[in-house]
Amino acid sequence: MAKTAGTAWGIDLGNSALKAIKVTLGEDDKVEVLDYAVIEHESILTSPEITPGQRTELIEKALEKFTEEHDLAGNAVVVGVPGHSSFARFAKLPPVEKKRIPDMVRYEAQQQIPFDINDVEWDWQVLSESDDAQEIEIGIFAIKSDIVKRALQPYSNSDIMIDTVQMGPMALFNFLTFDKSEVSDSKDAIILIDIGAENTDLIISNKGKVWQRSIKIGGNHFTAAVQKSFKLSFQKAEGIKRTANTSKYARQIFQAMRPVFSDLAAEIQRSLGFYSSGNRDTQFGEAYAMGNAIKLPGLLKFLQQSLSLPIKRMDNFDLATTSSEVSVAEFSGHIPSMSTAYGLALQGLDLGKMKGNLLPREIIRQTQWKRKHKWFIAACACMAIAAIGGLVKAMSAKGDINEAKFVINQISTSVSKVNQSAAVKSEAINNVEEIKKTIDEHKQIYEDRSLVQKLYKSLVDSLPSEVHNPDQANLYSAYNSGDRDAVMEMPRGDRKQVFISGVHIVYTDDLTQDFDTILSSGSASAAGSPAAAVAVDRGRGMMDRGGVGAMRGVPVARPGMPVVSRGGAGNAVGAGAAGGAAAADTKKAGFVLVLEGSTPHKNNLQYLNPPTAGIDRSNWGFFTRLYYLGKTDEEIKKILEEKNKSDIAIPSSEYQVAQSTESAALPFESFIGSQELKMYFDTDEGAQISGNRNTNQPSGIGIVKPSDKPTANAGLGMRDFRGGIGAGAGGGTNQQLPQLVDPFTQEVISTEYKEDLNKEIVLENGKPITVDHDYWFRVKLKIALKDSGEPAAN
């Protein structure tokens, strides 16, 4: 954990200047500014005329001047790194035991960070968690190791001991949530625009959450525009830009910079639009602009007009006071460029919401050693004094036999304790080795990061498609291209489609256990994450609740995440015990899959699992393909022959041979043991889709259809049937059941009351007649890793 102290320095080393601020927590929860520094570089670090060597020299000069004029001893030191060179992602995890969160976060980091995890410095923190929370929100922060080490080298050369490294945008978020807490707690989103020399950081805070983007336009781009227009050196163009407001060529200068004004406003507008598209209920409230470039005359007004937002210049800190040694007037003039340094210093006082630390671990150890070095020397001195004292005492006791015996007894006792400690140590080492062995076994699953993707691809390949159902190739083509009318030319009940709304995966070392034991086990290891979801062809009939299109992500179980199984109606593939299994099951490692979805086909289960499919894949349904996943024709034939179907013949077509070869190449296969089939492949949960969204029916199937306006039905005298119709004698309304519709075609997919030509509900013996549509299902199956078997324990 990063050091926190009574005082802290926040250092923002920018391209134009070093900004630093020293703070402490004062009275009334306000922060007191004890000291500050603004040291401009002799040249802008990113100037085209500056070489990398000169850049390093300029930085070290600024740090040398800073350390000469300001005392850092005894203070927490927090430095920033630019947002464009670092990485932040936010994710949600299912609620689990706290001890399991780090393992889940590490796997999530491997999926989210676009570099090898060993090549970055990264940290994470839990952002929101409560007893009744359905999810745990985390933040993951990272920066490439070579970038952060290169950025910190000048500090090391200047003997500055750093405690924390934080991203610039997160430091600004810390500043906002502390100093502008009343604003940040509002229901509207707050915007921070920090215009630096090379980049502009856009930060949006919404109800305690943060979103950030780095825009590659900054103060240097304005300078470059002036340089190009007036054909000057970069340094001279920078000087003209800074004095543009008082120059007799002001009009020409601002005309030269106008394209950059427009580009910056356009990029900010585009970013706000992107954020709004994913947060449609968001309203933008306060907006603040900061950074040295905001001092450019006319820029603030231009952004206000272009963005149609009231933007305030950041020129005060609400919860900060200044000590008597700090000039208020001078400090106020630097506030527009001090917000990042202020946010960094707040984290040093443990007052920031974002607490991540990207400081490399070896530097943390070096810093701790340097701080403890003087204490180590003092301890060595004390030990030396004690040793000398003991030697003098021993010499004075020479000849005293009784005391000698006492010393010998003490030595024997010490030896005995040492031996006991050695035994305890040996036992501990053995325990650690056992744990490492278990970790290594599980690590193999994580190292083969393509395993879950291959499994997903196999599931997708098992779905209805033009390959499996060439007679409906036009349907899949129309669905894939989004041609609604062409899709609806075929009656819904005849369409060979399967829609998947949920895929849950849990890894286990022992597939011979029943489903409930594996799915609810706290020791199960995750084999996937939402980031592992693969893109899915629309032609295969996959959809998400958002409507037509590729599935954007599927929920996947993580360590200890139970997948609840509930009762239902249906049947199982090949009812009864499966053939081809040994008398006693062999322990296998692999995955338990729970697939939830629906089909519009009128024969539902018979379509999903044709009872007489046999070996011919052209007759298989979706469940059949899952049942034989990863198995070759010879293996399937053996299973069928042991079910007394020895007359099964294997087709010899090229398609069949190709399928057999492809199956043999998969690293996993369906696991079917010797016990009742429902232990290995369970399809007993399913029913017609209901608009009531009962607790058994999977979520995410279809979308709710807005209620129809009640129509007069005087004299019908209906009573309340199944919660759908309500009226008293002599009058009432004709109201349908709650309905779900296909988000693409808008066809009703849930059970509804039958209506006549007048849109009146048809009754039979005083009760409404119902019409069923689509069928939902929940299938559970086991997938074994090939060559992972060992005898099951008795």
Side-chain angles (χ1 to χ4, degrees):
M1 181 178 290
K3 174 187 175 183
T4 57
T7 55
W9 275 100
I11 304 175
D12 176 22
L13 185 54
N15 287 310
S16 60
L18 179 153
K19 288 88 65 178
I21 186 171
K22 178 182 178 182
V23 298
T24 187
L25 186 61
E27 298 178 355
D28 300 326
D29 292 331
K30 287 193 173 184
V31 168
E32 184 179 8
V33 179
L34 302 177
D35 197 2
Y36 78 97
V38 177
I39 302 173
E40 291 197 6
H41 303 302
E42 296 174 3
S43 299
I44 294 178
L45 300 182
T46 51
S47 169
E49 302 158 4
I50 301 297
T51 66
Q54 291 172 326
R55 184 179 189 277
T56 301
E57 184 179 347
L58 290 172
I59 292 174
E60 291 183 349
K61 281 185 178 180
L63 288 172
E64 182 181 358
K65 184 177 180 181
F66 174 60
T67 54
E68 287 177 354
E69 298 176 354
H70 304 274
D71 184 16
L72 274 65
N75 302 281
V77 178
V78 185
V79 303
V81 289
H84 66 86
S85 64
S86 49
F87 171 91
R89 285 291 184 273
F90 301 92
K92 292 182 179 180
L93 307 177
V96 294
E97 297 178 58
K98 288 186 178 181
K99 66 180 181 180
R100 303 193 63 83
I101 293 178
D103 293 334
M104 297 173 65
V105 171
R106 181 171 181 82
Y107 183 77
E108 193 72 33
Q110 289 176 321
Q111 302 298 318
Q112 296 280 2
I113 297 174
F115 308 105
D116 190 307
I117 198 71
N118 297 315
D119 294 336
V120 299
E121 300 295 334
W122 68 284
D123 200 1
W124 64 278
Q125 73 176 84
V126 175
L127 299 177
S128 64
E129 182 183 19
S130 60
D131 294 337
D132 58 348
Q134 297 300 310
E135 295 173 318
I136 300 172
E137 186 175 7
I138 60 165
I140 298 174
F141 315 100
I143 186 171
K144 293 195 74 175
S145 298
D146 57 338
I147 293 177
V148 68
K149 289 177 181 177
R150 187 164 57 247
L152 298 181
Q153 188 59 47
Y155 292 95
S156 178
N157 295 343
S158 301
D159 291 327
I160 297 176
M161 290 189 291
I162 298 172
D163 298 286
T164 304
V165 174
Q166 178 59 280
M167 299 169 52
M170 297 304 107
L172 286 173
F173 180 68
N174 281 341
F175 152 69
L176 177 68
T177 52
F178 175 81
D179 196 80
K180 309 289 182 184
S181 57
E182 292 185 3
V183 174
S184 64
D185 290 340
S186 70
K187 63 180 180 180
D188 295 332
I190 311 304
I191 302 170
L192 295 182
I193 304 171
D194 183 21
I195 307 176
E198 279 294 311
N199 297 273
T200 295
D201 285 330
L202 178 68
I203 297 94
I204 299 177
S205 171
N206 187 12
K207 298 176 183 178
K209 299 180 180 179
V210 62
W211 181 89
Q212 61 98 11
R213 184 201 170 199
S214 186
I215 299 171
K216 294 183 177 181
I217 299 177
N220 285 359
H221 293 77
F222 294 102
T223 305
V226 174
Q227 179 189 18
K228 181 179 179 181
S229 180
F230 290 88
K231 296 180 173 56
L232 302 170
S233 68
F234 190 87
Q235 295 298 333
K236 288 184 178 180
E238 177 68 19
I240 289 178
K241 182 190 75 172
R242 294 191 180 192
T243 59
N245 203 34
T246 58
S247 173
K248 63 179 180 179
Y249 301 108
R251 183 177 178 181
Q252 292 92 326
I253 295 172
F254 285 109
Q255 191 67 30
M257 293 189 293
R258 187 173 182 83
V260 185
F261 277 54
S262 300
D263 290 345
L264 178 59
E267 282 299 316
I268 295 175
Q269 184 65 61
R270 186 177 296 113
S271 299
L272 296 179
F274 176 80
Y275 180 83
S276 297
S277 66
N279 301 269
R280 297 190 180 277
D281 297 331
T282 298
Q283 297 291 328
F284 293 115
E286 301 282 354
Y288 297 93
M290 59 203 71
N292 277 326
I294 203 63
K295 299 176 183 178
L296 195 63
L299 178 56
L300 187 63
K301 184 178 179 180
F302 183 86
L303 291 177
Q304 289 175 332
Q305 294 173 345
S306 301
L307 303 177
S308 300
L309 285 173
I311 304 176
K312 300 178 182 178
R313 173 173 156 169
M314 184 63 69
D315 53 10
N316 72 291
F317 296 153
D318 292 346
L319 296 181
T321 61
T322 55
S323 71
S324 58
E325 299 178 2
V326 175
S327 170
V328 176
E330 292 182 3
F331 178 69
S332 298
H334 294 295
I335 283 180
S337 62
M338 295 290 284
S339 299
T340 299
Y342 183 30
L344 294 169
L346 289 172
Q347 183 171 347
L349 296 179
D350 200 23
L351 297 177
K353 186 173 182 179
M354 293 297 175
K355 305 180 186 298
N357 187 0
L358 299 179
L359 185 65
R361 298 297 178 263
E362 59 267 29
I363 297 180
I364 292 177
R365 289 192 291 269
Q366 291 171 8
T367 301
Q368 292 174 340
W369 169 249
K370 286 181 180 179
R371 287 204 169 99
K372 295 176 180 179
H373 184 63
K374 58 183 179 181
W375 299 108
F376 177 77
I377 294 175
C380 289
C382 292
M383 291 175 65
I385 293 171
I388 293 172
L391 178 60
V392 171
K393 182 178 179 180
M395 292 179 67
S396 66
K398 187 177 181 180
D400 189 335
I401 303 301
N402 291 330
E403 187 169 347
K405 289 182 178 179
F406 173 78
V407 172
I408 293 172
N409 289 335
Q410 288 292 96
I411 293 174
S412 299
T413 302
S414 298
V415 170
S416 177
K417 290 182 178 179
V418 169
N419 290 336
Q420 291 176 3
S421 298
V424 172
K425 177 183 177 182
S426 177
E427 182 180 355
I429 290 175
N430 291 336
N431 291 337
V432 170
E433 291 300 324
E434 287 296 323
I435 294 172
K436 286 176 62 178
K437 181 180 178 182
T438 303
I439 291 173
D440 290 340
E441 291 174 354
H442 287 263
K443 184 180 177 182
Q444 294 176 3
I445 302 300
Y446 291 91
E447 287 180 341
D448 186 1
R449 296 175 66 175
S450 66
L451 186 61
V452 175
Q453 282 79 358
K454 289 178 182 177
L455 183 54
Y456 270 108
K457 183 179 185 302
S458 297
L459 297 179
V460 172
D461 290 342
S462 300
L463 290 165
S465 66
E466 59 277 5
V467 174
H468 301 311
N469 310 106
D471 57 315
Q472 294 198 0
N474 291 336
L475 170 67
Y476 305 124
S477 176
Y479 198 95
N480 190 49
S481 62
D483 189 343
R484 179 174 178 270
D485 294 335
V487 169
M488 294 182 67
E489 287 179 2
M490 179 178 291
R492 186 172 184 86
D494 293 339
R495 296 174 203 163
K496 297 177 180 178
Q497 289 180 297
V498 171
F499 300 99
I500 300 297
S501 61
V503 181
H504 307 265
I505 301 179
V506 173
Y507 172 76
T508 178
D509 293 323
D510 186 6
L511 285 171
T512 62
Q513 304 172 90
D514 60 65
F515 282 115
D516 289 341
T517 299
I518 297 173
L519 295 174
S520 63
S521 172
S523 62
S525 299
S529 76
V534 294
V536 182
D537 186 351
R538 283 190 301 217
R540 303 185 184 279
M542 296 286 283
M543 71 174 184
D544 63 11
R545 69 187 67 185
V548 65
M551 185 168 60
R552 292 190 292 269
V554 292
V556 180
R558 293 177 173 80
M561 176 183 175
V563 182
V564 180
S565 174
R566 294 175 288 268
N571 61 5
V573 176
D585 291 347
T586 299
K587 182 177 179 181
K588 281 272 192 177
F591 305 101
V592 164
L593 276 65
V594 181
L595 279 70
E596 298 175 333
S598 62
T599 178
H601 202 278
K602 58 191 174 185
N603 295 329
N604 48 68
L605 278 178
Q606 290 187 353
Y607 160 64
L608 293 170
N609 176 38
T612 58
I615 192 76
D616 188 353
R617 285 183 169 85
S618 63
N619 293 328
W620 285 4
F622 177 53
F623 285 1
T624 323
R625 285 186 281 273
L626 295 178
Y627 182 70
Y628 292 129
L629 186 64
K631 296 190 181 298
T632 64
D633 291 336
E634 292 293 343
E635 292 169 333
I636 297 170
K637 179 183 178 183
K638 184 177 180 181
I639 293 174
L640 293 173
E641 286 176 343
E642 292 185 6
K643 286 183 173 181
N644 298 320
K645 295 186 178 181
S646 56
D647 57 335
I648 298 296
I650 299 179
S652 58
S653 66
E654 292 183 4
Y655 168 76
Q656 203 73 19
V657 173
Q659 287 291 322
S660 179
T661 305
E662 184 177 306
S663 297
L666 290 175
F668 43 74
E669 62 182 338
S670 59
F671 180 66
I672 307 297
S674 62
Q675 303 181 51
E676 182 185 4
L677 182 59
K678 287 170 61 176
M679 272 281 295
Y680 311 98
F681 196 98
D682 187 1
T683 62
D684 275 2
E685 295 185 73
Q688 303 302 139
I689 294 177
S690 167
N692 289 322
R693 292 186 180 273
N694 58 50
T695 56
N696 190 36
Q697 179 175 304
S699 61
I701 294 180
I703 59 174
V704 178
K705 179 183 179 182
S707 300
D708 295 328
K709 294 181 179 179
T711 55
N713 194 16
L716 185 60
M718 294 183 184
R719 291 184 175 85
D720 184 10
F721 295 111
R722 295 170 55 174
I725 302 176
T733 59
N734 192 6
Q735 183 180 347
Q736 269 288 358
L737 289 167
Q739 291 181 345
L740 299 178
V741 297
D742 185 317
F744 175 45
T745 64
Q746 297 299 306
E747 297 165 297
V748 176
I749 64 174
S750 58
T751 299
E752 61 179 341
Y753 292 137
K754 184 177 181 180
E755 294 180 343
D756 58 21
L757 295 177
N758 296 321
K759 298 296 182 180
E760 300 291 342
I761 295 176
V762 179
L763 303 179
E764 184 176 290
N765 297 325
K767 295 183 178 181
I769 300 175
T770 58
V771 179
D772 292 331
H773 292 292
D774 290 20
Y775 182 88
W776 70 263
F777 62 82
R778 181 180 294 111
V779 56
K780 291 179 283 192
L781 62 150
K782 298 178 181 180
I783 302 296
L785 302 179
K786 291 182 179 178
D787 302 323
S788 67
E790 62 177 81
N794 293 327

